[in-house]
Amino acid sequence: MRQKQGIVYLVGAGPGDIRLLTIKGFEVLQKADVVLYDRLIHPLLLEWTKPDAEIIYCGKLPDRHLLRQEAINDLLVKKGQEGKIVVRLKGGDPSVFGRVAEEADALQAASVPFEIVPGITAGIGASTYAGISVTHRDYGGSFAVVTGHNKTASGEPTVDWQALSKGVDTIAFYMGVKNLPYISENLLLNGKDPDTPVSIIQWGTLGKQKVLKATLKTVAKKAKEEKVENPAITLVGDVNHLRQGKSWFERQPLFGQHILFARTDDEPSSTVESLRDLGAEVFEYPRFQIRFSEDKQIDYRLYDCLYFLSPKSVQAFFKHITDIGLDIRFIQADFVVRSKKSAKLLSSYACSSITIDEMEPGKKVLVLGEEMSEQEKSSLKKKLGDFDYFVSYQKALVSQSAATFERLWDEGRIETIVFPNEKSVVQITDALAKTKYTPTLISKHVEVICYGPISYQKAIELGYVGAKVLEHPNKEELIQKLGYSLVKR
């Protein structure tokens, strides 16, 4: 059998904010068999990969390389020749100091198909999120991007300093914090006004974004005093007058909040989207891969009631009857739900539903959902009486999600954990059971917020200390609580 042809996508991931990834970048990332990513890629971008995708960290650090560029080139060629869909994920735009031409040349020489997917470059993205437009009718009609270091032993950039100083209104230096004394000295020697305003934007477009304002004659000293480090963009020019106080990004109500929102299924949460819209960085964890049952022995026609435990069980049911070729018109059972989401999903299939309180006694009931514990079955039996149970789908943890958790934790980007229900407490604890991240350890470093008394009791039972409970278990109350915490800090 002929091997399928592979393809390599050289993708710009943007400056940090995951929502700045282009639509095309998102699409190819979702279908990739292999992803090679750099150090500055936001960990949450990898949550969009397939559960079985091979994730390879290229790990470039200053003065230390886990994979040298030549090895990365060889790996891209190898994976492409194996017939894989490969994504090389780079920060910003791959053509702006991303060495994309070298990777493209290697792929071209090996006759491996490739495409380049541009991204928002950091000089523009970070500046915009700091409230500074890189061009402006009053302050600057030209804009240049310049590397802040080179590959020589000294690492000092080699550029035409006179042309930059005299001919360009706005200059964005990439990763040049270490060389700021050299950069500012050469600009001054070549005629740049010492009072030219400068902004250093560290971790631009992310929740930990910081902006240092200075002038060309003071920036090196100020950066040293404030202990500014890369990743950072140094923006030189009069456009910096546009920054007056905090930017639109920094004024968002939940700016600077780093939240882990505990999940119980693979569906995205509308609450999470609301938190992100207000400026928070949110990680939904754990991540699950859903496997629907292929059991052909179950006969839905034998039951008076089908009780759906979740929207996912509704999806599983309709997939299952399609797979086994059963016409829904032959099923005479009432459809029973325990959530409005399940009822809404059933109505999308033109099916009505009732609640458990509307069920008539003495009916033969089939419960559909994921595997339940004996305690859960016993609790359900008190409401339903005797019932049969069909495991219509199973959930498996996605290992990549655990790696995302570890990296965010190590970088101090998990400050609050939100438990929306009792089950979410169990899921998080089980997912981390074989790691060093015990409830006790987590409680020492993060704020734990529970939606209500039931989830709070489960959190205390499992070892989470100092958990807080929302007075009203809803999204609005959570946002208020997070906003209050931010003001307190």
Side-chain angles (χ1 to χ4, degrees):
M1 185 172 65
R2 185 177 178 182
Q3 179 176 290
K4 69 175 183 178
Q5 188 177 45
I7 185 169
V8 177
Y9 295 96
L10 307 169
V11 179
D17 185 339
I18 61 173
R19 290 175 294 181
L20 294 182
L21 180 69
T22 64
I23 293 175
K24 184 169 184 178
F26 176 70
E27 289 173 347
V28 299
L29 185 60
Q30 283 192 307
K31 67 182 183 181
D33 301 310
V34 183
V35 178
L36 290 83
Y37 72 100
D38 286 342
R39 177 176 69 100
L40 295 181
I41 294 301
H42 198 305
L44 294 186
L45 289 174
L46 300 177
E47 292 297 290
W48 290 336
T49 58
K50 294 190 299 188
D52 57 349
E54 181 182 4
I55 310 295
I56 300 172
Y57 176 47
C58 295
K60 290 190 173 185
L61 292 166
D63 306 317
R64 179 163 61 89
H65 299 274
L66 185 63
L67 283 180
R68 297 189 64 83
Q69 187 61 52
E70 295 77 9
I72 294 171
N73 296 349
D74 292 343
L75 200 52
L76 291 173
V77 169
K78 177 177 180 291
K79 296 296 183 180
Q81 289 176 335
E82 291 174 356
K84 304 288 181 63
I85 298 174
V86 183
V87 166
R88 174 73 171 103
L89 201 57
K90 297 166 170 285
D93 182 283
S95 298
V96 181
F97 309 126
R99 303 183 72 172
V100 74
E102 298 170 50
E103 296 172 354
D105 286 346
L107 294 165
Q108 182 82 28
S111 299
V112 175
F114 69 90
E115 293 184 21
I116 299 175
V117 182
I120 297 173
T121 188
I124 295 173
S127 300
T128 302
Y129 272 50
I132 305 166
S133 173
V134 295
T135 63
H136 191 276
R137 291 176 67 182
D138 296 331
Y139 296 120
S142 57
F143 170 62
V145 294
V146 182
T147 180
H149 61 89
N150 66 15
K151 60 183 180 180
T152 64
S154 66
E156 295 169 345
T158 305
V159 295
D160 187 338
W161 293 106
Q162 187 172 18
L164 279 180
S165 302
K166 299 290 188 180
V168 180
D169 296 319
T170 307
I171 313 167
F173 289 95
Y174 284 53
M175 298 295 196
V177 173
K178 180 181 177 182
N179 290 322
L180 274 176
Y182 178 82
I183 291 169
S184 55
E185 178 185 5
N186 277 277
L187 289 174
L188 291 169
L189 287 174
N190 284 275
K192 202 74 173 173
D193 187 339
D195 292 324
T196 301
V198 178
S199 295
I200 303 179
I201 308 158
Q202 185 178 16
W203 292 107
T205 79
L206 295 171
K208 53 183 178 177
Q209 172 176 298
K210 294 181 180 178
V211 182
L212 173 71
K213 294 186 70 173
T215 63
L216 197 54
K217 66 182 177 184
T218 64
V219 65
K221 181 182 178 183
K222 271 194 167 186
K224 185 176 181 180
E225 291 173 349
E226 297 293 327
K227 298 180 180 179
V228 177
E229 297 178 343
N230 287 320
I233 294 293
T234 301
L235 197 67
V236 180
D238 287 340
V239 293
N240 287 295
H241 288 305
L242 296 170
R243 181 176 170 87
Q244 300 293 327
K246 292 182 178 180
S247 69
W248 61 269
F249 176 58
E250 296 153 353
R251 289 197 301 269
Q252 293 179 110
L254 299 183
F255 170 76
Q257 294 269 19
H258 296 85
I259 301 165
L260 186 153
F261 195 89
R263 70 196 305 181
T264 58
D265 57 36
D266 68 329
E267 296 295 328
S269 165
S270 60
T271 298
V272 167
E273 283 306 304
S274 296
L275 295 175
R276 286 178 178 149
D277 288 342
L278 292 169
E281 284 192 25
V282 190
F283 172 36
E284 290 186 86
Y285 181 78
R287 178 182 169 200
F288 300 101
Q289 180 180 12
I290 303 298
R291 297 189 180 97
F292 294 117
S293 174
E294 298 179 357
D295 186 351
K296 296 183 180 180
Q297 302 302 313
I298 193 73
D299 190 346
Y300 299 106
R301 295 169 297 182
L302 301 177
Y303 296 91
D304 302 312
C305 296
L306 301 183
Y307 182 44
F308 297 97
L309 293 178
S310 66
K312 189 60 63 181
S313 62
V314 175
Q315 292 178 13
F317 167 74
F318 281 98
K319 182 181 184 304
H320 193 232
I321 63 172
T322 300
D323 290 345
I324 63 177
L326 177 61
D327 190 325
I328 195 171
R329 289 174 295 183
F330 291 105
I331 301 175
Q332 301 300 312
D334 289 330
F335 290 168
V336 187
V337 296
R338 69 173 180 181
S339 74
K340 292 180 180 179
K341 287 184 178 180
S342 295
K344 185 177 180 180
L345 186 55
L346 276 168
S347 67
S348 72
Y349 288 100
C351 295
S352 60
S353 61
I354 61 175
T355 66
I356 194 170
D357 295 329
E358 297 172 297
M359 284 179 58
E360 295 180 12
K363 296 288 186 178
K364 188 173 183 181
V365 181
L366 176 67
V367 176
L368 299 95
E370 64 176 309
E371 187 64 67
M372 287 193 297
S373 68
E374 291 304 317
Q375 182 179 355
E376 289 174 316
K377 289 180 181 178
S378 176
S379 176
L380 192 57
K381 189 175 181 179
K382 294 177 182 177
K383 298 178 181 179
L384 294 176
D386 291 331
F387 60 85
D388 290 340
Y389 186 70
F390 176 47
V391 180
S392 57
Y393 69 94
Q394 293 179 321
K395 294 187 308 191
L397 286 172
V398 177
S399 58
Q400 172 55 42
S401 196
T404 301
F405 176 93
E406 185 168 8
R407 183 174 159 194
L408 289 172
W409 180 274
D410 289 345
E411 293 178 1
R413 292 162 76 175
I414 298 176
E415 299 172 322
T416 304
I417 292 181
V418 178
F419 291 127
N421 51 50
E422 179 185 17
K423 192 172 184 179
S424 68
V425 185
V426 177
Q427 298 278 27
I428 285 276
T429 310
D430 288 349
L432 298 173
K434 295 181 181 180
T435 72
K436 66 179 180 181
Y437 305 105
T438 63
T440 303
L441 174 65
I442 290 171
S443 300
K444 287 180 180 178
H445 297 279
V446 306
E447 181 180 40
V448 177
I449 298 177
C450 300
Y451 259 50
I454 297 176
S455 55
Y456 172 78
Q457 288 300 329
K458 179 57 69 173
I460 297 301
E461 176 188 326
L462 294 179
Y464 295 91
V465 180
K468 298 178 180 179
V469 188
L470 299 181
E471 185 176 343
H472 304 288
N474 55 47
K475 178 172 63 179
E476 291 71 23
E477 180 77 12
L478 173 64
I479 290 170
Q480 184 177 354
K481 186 76 171 179
L482 292 168
Y484 177 74
S485 298
L486 182 60
V487 172
K488 291 281 283 185
R489 281 208 300 268

